[in-house]
């Protein structure tokens, strides 16, 4: 379970890295790609957190 709890932080770090690449990219297509990746990774982090909370609540 602890591995699941670490995943949102990892996903958010990856999202931040994608956002940085997006900000530094000079090519419009690359900016759009990395913007979508950052948004997707942030959404995944939120979903993993919800799943972890639900699982934690179910086991109490």
């Amino acid at each position: 379970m602890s591995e699941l709890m670490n995943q949102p932080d990892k996903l958010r770090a990856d999202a931040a890295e994608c956002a940085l690449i997006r900000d530094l990219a000079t090519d419009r297509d690359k900016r759009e790609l990395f913007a979508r990746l950052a948004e997707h990774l942030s959404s995944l982090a939120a979903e993993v957190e919800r799943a972890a909370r639900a699982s934690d609540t179910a086991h109490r």
Side-chain angles (χ1 to χ4, degrees), residues 23-34:
D23 294 344
L24 296 174
T26 57
D27 180 82
R28 182 181 57 89
D29 291 337
K30 286 184 183 178
R31 281 194 308 271
E32 291 174 1
L33 171 65
F34 282 97

Side-chain angles (χ1 to χ4, degrees), residues 6-15:
N6 292 332
Q7 288 304 309
D9 292 336
K10 169 81 169 93
L11 290 166
R12 283 199 179 83
D14 290 346

